Amino acid sequence: MISKKVTLVNAQGFHMRPADDFVKAVKKYSCKVTMTHNGKPVNLMNKMFIIASAIKCGQEVELTCDGPDEEAAMAELAGMIEAGFGE
Amino acid sequence: MMKGLGAPEGYGIGRVMLISEKNLSYTPREIADVDAELERFRTAVKKFTEETLAQAQTVRETVGEKEAKILEGHISIIDDDFMRGEIENLISAHQCAESAVEQMCQMFIDMFMASGDELTMQRAADVRDVRDSMLAILLGVNEVKISDAPAGTVLVVRELTPSMTAGIKRDNIVGIITETGSQTSHSAILARAMEIPAVLSVPNALAQLSTGEQVIVDGFTGDVVTAPAQEVIDEYTSKRDTYLREKRELELYRGKPTVSASGEHYELCCNIGSPKDASKAMEKDGEGVGLFRTEFLFMDRSSLPTEDEQFDAYKTAAMVLKGKPLIIRTLDIGGDKEIPYLGLEKEENPFMGFRAIRYCLKNRDMFKSQIKAILRASAFGDVRIMFPLITAVEELREGRALVEEAKSDLRASGIEFNEDIPVGVMTETSASGVIADLLAKEADFFSIGTNDLTGYTMACDRGNSNVGYLYSPFQPSVLRLIKSIIENGVKAGIPVGMCGEAAANPMMIPLLMSFGLTEFSVSAVSVLKVRKNIAKWTKAEADEVAAKVMAMSTEKEITDYLKTVV
């Protein structure tokens, strides 16, 4: 199991498109992915739950990946957030 | 006349077209044939997707890519494995498609509204838009055709939704009035993107106005003028034409460098009071931030902000600026501002009293936590520190020593920051102007605060009507200080900016150019105007004007002359 803290850098935070892309990326991997924000778990089943968590620019989330492809999953998911979802 | 919030600016004169709410009421029923109902739902999703894609395409052509993406995002709300799965589960449990769709949408609307976060709450509007479009399809209710609106139409709607914008022909719609929405709502963002003047949040606009009646929309004041007389229409027509002409002229300067007619380059930054303003500065084409006032972090609360809270705010601003300069002014607080938890005593003479750098140097723990927060933010952009109200070299030295202390604390904890962070002086007292040569040897930059500089130099309170006439940055004394500050900075090879109101004054601009100012910092709305004003002058012309002005003896002589040259 690996975990990493990452900070949101895009001005609009986790809005519709980033949340959608993120959920799709999570589903590509077989490992169990969890994310916490302010100590609370964020439901990664659907982008709407992520949006409802109101995670803003400058705030930190903790990602955890647990399973055979955890390294690859962490690299892609943390990378997406760190790159500001390309915004 | 009716009143609301103006956004965006501009004037619209036209005739009302009411877009009433569609009747989306239905009676929930128990479904016997589940398969048929599932099929009905799937067909509706397909139709919704097709319609929305077509709308997005129209919006892409008429409004812009960003707005089209909002609409395409609507498809992904409903055409999504999880969402479809949940809705189909409800239908399989014998709910009708209408109530299944509504229940799932409502759940997210409620969650978004409960977040308490403004941006997230606004996204509830997207879900409402999807819900209403889906219900309209399921119920077979036809959309009102906004695209049929004739030229010169003022649209009156409860809320301007992304799907509505698809029908708006920009040539035909001259104004928008909504019943709901703040200046940051979808309604406002969409109206701004389409550059249609709008007045938002007008209570009962749909009930009070009738289709076909003449109306004027004032996006500056938020006024909606009903039944205007001919002379009022004429007045607004000429205001509108002037506004549009000036706006077209200013837009030519967007995205351009700030450069004089003879080719000298200047930096043109913005003054901000919160991280949110930083986005506005970028939107208005600012080249950075010349003054970030940090007081907002300390006001309206009952205890000091923590280092982390401050760090969050500074870092957010730094990230929004994406490497452009960000000058953060340390706390400028004193006896004239009420911050109960600081325990400041009421003073006889607060402006000459225990404030700004003087207070901070005596409250070192508080000051150091602010400096550490700024240093930590410097790992995320071109962040600079500025001390306010410097009157003596020792204050700068003491402040710099504290910066060094904060740096070694951070180094010890292995926290990243910019080792070479520039530390500058806000020159806003006559004392700092007179010793500018001494300060320039030890400061990394100057920024002239003309508001306090004028008040302190003329020993006058601008709010006092008996002496307010003395308050002018065009007083020869103030101009001499400004000139000396700039020249001493230039001689020492450090950048000199101006972050006071005077930096945006068209009469001051040629003088500052001539004295050698390197950076203008103004409010976001003034950026393009200042850039245009700087572009008007060659250095030689500015020098000529400055030479004449500096030989004059009175403020009146100077301003009378400057009025003739701008």
Side-chain angles (χ1 to χ4, degrees):
Chain A
M1 188 182 82
I2 48 172
S3 63
K4 187 175 180 186
K5 288 183 174 164
V6 272
T7 303
L8 259 80
V9 296
N10 58 317
Q12 296 277 306
F14 250 124
H15 63 90
M16 204 69 79
R17 188 191 57 78
D20 198 30
D21 292 351
F22 194 78
V23 169
K24 285 190 182 130
V26 169
K27 287 184 179 148
K28 288 198 309 201
Y29 297 95
S30 61
C31 65
K32 184 174 163 42
V33 181
T34 55
M35 181 165 87
T36 56
H37 171 239
N38 286 335
K40 278 184 282 188
V42 178
N43 186 333
L44 298 179
M45 292 250 293
N46 181 270
K47 63 176 172 295
M48 306 291 271
F49 294 111
I50 301 185
I51 295 167
S53 302
I55 309 167
K56 291 194 276 197
C57 178
Q59 292 185 339
E60 198 174 64
V61 293
E62 182 162 14
L63 283 174
T64 308
C65 300
D66 188 5
D69 53 1
E70 58 188 32
E71 295 282 348
M74 181 62 84
E76 173 166 6
L77 298 172
M80 287 174 82
I81 298 176
E82 281 163 347
F85 305 100
E87 283 175 7
Chain B
M1 192 170 77
M2 292 151 67
K3 190 117 187 114
L5 303 164
E9 295 176 345
Y11 305 98
I13 306 160
R15 293 193 178 276
V16 166
M17 177 172 172
L18 298 182
I19 306 296
S20 308
E21 294 288 280
K22 291 178 292 241
N23 180 5
L24 298 176
S25 60
Y26 61 92
T27 314
R29 25 179 228 290
E30 186 145 334
I31 297 303
D33 187 347
V34 167
D35 286 339
E37 192 67 2
L38 284 174
E39 192 47 40
R40 198 164 80 87
F41 166 65
R42 287 172 194 153
T43 310
V45 172
K46 195 160 164 264
K47 186 163 183 221
F48 171 76
T49 306
E50 284 164 8
E51 282 180 1
T52 308
L53 275 177
Q55 287 171 350
Q57 196 46 38
T58 313
V59 168
R60 180 166 284 119
E61 284 155 18
T62 58
V63 188
E65 182 63 30
K66 218 169 94 191
E67 291 70 25
K69 281 256 157 63
I70 295 179
L71 270 172
E72 285 172 356
H74 285 184
I75 299 173
S76 74
I77 290 178
I78 203 86
D79 192 8
D80 169 276
D81 291 345
F82 172 84
M83 196 73 163
R84 290 180 72 138
E86 293 296 308
I87 292 172
E88 293 188 4
N89 284 346
L90 292 171
I91 294 173
S92 300
H94 302 282
Q95 276 198 33
C96 65
E98 287 87 349
S99 81
V101 166
E102 180 155 28
Q103 188 180 327
M104 282 308 293
C105 289
Q106 197 58 45
M107 179 180 99
F108 286 115
I109 293 169
D110 292 344
M111 275 171 77
F112 289 5
M113 295 309 284
S115 72
D117 171 59
E118 200 186 332
L119 271 176
T120 307
M121 285 160 77
Q122 280 162 21
R123 274 163 207 150
D126 290 298
V127 188
R128 276 197 294 270
D129 201 6
V130 170
R131 177 196 64 193
D132 291 353
S133 301
M134 279 295 292
L135 287 178
I137 291 169
L138 287 165
L139 295 165
V141 178
N142 284 326
E143 305 261 343
V144 187
K145 281 260 184 263
I146 296 179
S147 54
D148 293 342
T153 295
V154 173
L155 278 185
V156 184
V157 296
R158 192 182 63 79
E159 181 179 20
L160 187 66
T161 64
S163 58
M164 266 180 207
T165 55
I168 290 181
K169 292 200 181 104
R170 237 191 291 196
D171 292 343
N172 290 359
I173 309 296
V174 298
I176 295 167
I177 300 170
T178 72
E179 288 191 341
T180 62
S182 68
Q183 261 135 340
T184 52
S185 64
H186 261 327
S187 296
I189 291 165
L190 294 167
R192 212 173 285 133
M194 293 185 289
E195 296 179 15
I196 300 175
V199 175
L200 314 170
S201 262
V202 179
N204 301 319
L206 282 162
Q208 291 189 54
L209 295 165
S210 338
T211 293
E213 78 168 289
Q214 194 157 32
V215 76
I216 295 171
V217 172
D218 185 335
F220 287 95
T221 60
D223 289 339
V224 174
V225 186
T226 47
Q230 190 54 47
E231 56 267 31
V232 178
I233 295 174
D234 293 345
E235 182 198 324
Y236 270 97
T237 306
S238 99
K239 272 205 233 178
R240 180 193 61 195
D241 295 347
T242 311
Y243 167 74
L244 289 176
R245 196 185 58 242
E246 284 174 359
K247 195 170 145 193
R248 265 197 308 276
E249 285 169 10
L250 281 184
E251 279 306 313
L252 298 175
Y253 292 90
R254 182 178 294 279
K256 299 274 159 56
T258 304
V259 54
S260 73
S262 47
E264 286 83 9
H265 280 255
Y266 297 89
E267 240 184 314
L268 179 50
C269 296
C270 294
N271 301 335
I272 65 170
S274 71
K276 210 194 263 173
D277 292 351
S279 319
K280 193 160 176 219
M282 291 299 93
E283 213 175 277
K284 299 284 180 190
D285 213 29
E287 298 162 26
V289 165
L291 168 65
F292 182 5
R293 302 181 185 92
T294 54
E295 289 71 57
F296 80 99
L297 281 163
F298 294 79
M299 316 279 276
D300 302 320
R301 52 187 294 148
S302 53
S303 62
L304 282 172
T306 63
E307 182 187 315
D308 282 348
E309 271 176 76
Q310 297 190 57
F311 168 58
D312 271 348
Y314 306 150
K315 181 177 128 187
T316 303
M319 287 185 146
V320 169
L321 293 182
K322 297 199 173 98
K324 290 178 176 154
L326 170 65
I327 298 180
I328 303 179
R329 181 179 70 186
T330 59
L331 184 61
D332 183 8
I333 215 75
D336 59 322
K337 290 185 188 119
E338 283 280 333
I339 300 193
Y341 64 86
L342 291 183
L344 289 166
E345 284 167 35
K346 261 252 167 294
E347 295 181 312
E348 286 271 313
N349 208 338
F351 279 95
M352 309 265 165
F354 192 41
R355 56 173 293 212
I357 192 76
R358 303 168 182 180
Y359 177 84
C360 288
L361 289 172
K362 285 274 161 26
N363 290 273
R364 294 171 63 90
D365 289 347
M366 182 208 77
F367 197 23
K368 200 155 116 183
S369 89
Q370 179 170 39
I371 290 172
K372 278 165 86 172
I374 299 173
L375 282 169
R376 286 167 62 193
S378 73
F380 299 89
D382 180 0
V383 175
R384 308 172 191 182
I385 301 178
M386 175 159 75
F387 297 135
L389 205 81
I390 294 286
T391 52
V393 171
E394 294 93 317
E395 291 167 334
L396 173 58
R397 285 184 188 163
E398 263 191 74
R400 291 201 82 128
L402 206 58
V403 172
E404 290 310 314
E405 248 183 75
K407 281 185 186 174
S408 70
D409 288 359
L410 292 178
R411 248 180 250 124
S413 328
I415 297 172
E416 270 185 65
F417 63 92
N418 173 14
E419 287 280 356
D420 302 316
I421 190 168
V423 178
V425 166
M426 183 147 169
T427 44
E428 54 182 332
T429 60
S430 338
S432 65
V434 174
I435 59 162
D437 57 327
L438 304 177
L439 288 170
K441 287 185 203 156
E442 304 187 27
D444 298 324
F445 63 89
F446 283 162
S447 184
I448 306 172
T450 43
N451 303 0
D452 275 351
L453 183 65
T454 305
Y456 284 127
T457 303
M458 296 307 296
C460 99
D461 171 1
R462 121 166 101 164
N464 180 334
S465 57
N466 287 321
V467 299
Y469 69 94
L470 287 167
Y471 183 97
S472 162
F474 294 101
Q475 287 283 357
S477 56
V478 182
L479 286 177
R480 284 184 190 196
L481 277 175
I482 291 174
K483 183 167 189 263
S484 157
I485 293 167
I486 297 174
E487 286 176 350
N488 278 298
V490 169
K491 213 188 293 167
I494 60 171
V496 185
M498 177 176 284
C499 57
E501 283 168 28
N505 187 325
M507 300 204 294
M508 189 61 89
I509 286 170
L511 307 181
L512 298 174
M513 291 170 72
S514 168
F515 298 159
L517 197 81
T518 55
E519 177 232 31
F520 293 74
S521 192
V522 301
S523 63
V525 290
S526 303
V527 167
L528 295 180
K529 281 180 213 153
V530 171
R531 187 172 291 149
K532 182 180 170 206
N533 268 305
I534 289 174
K536 274 201 329 208
W537 297 93
T538 64
K539 180 71 169 41
E541 289 161 357
D543 285 344
E544 205 185 306
V545 169
K548 280 194 185 138
V549 163
M550 296 314 281
M552 292 175 179
S553 312
T554 68
E555 194 264 353
K556 185 166 186 315
E557 233 180 304
I558 291 170
T559 50
D560 283 349
Y561 164 67
L562 285 172
K563 276 176 203 151
T564 67
V565 299
V566 297

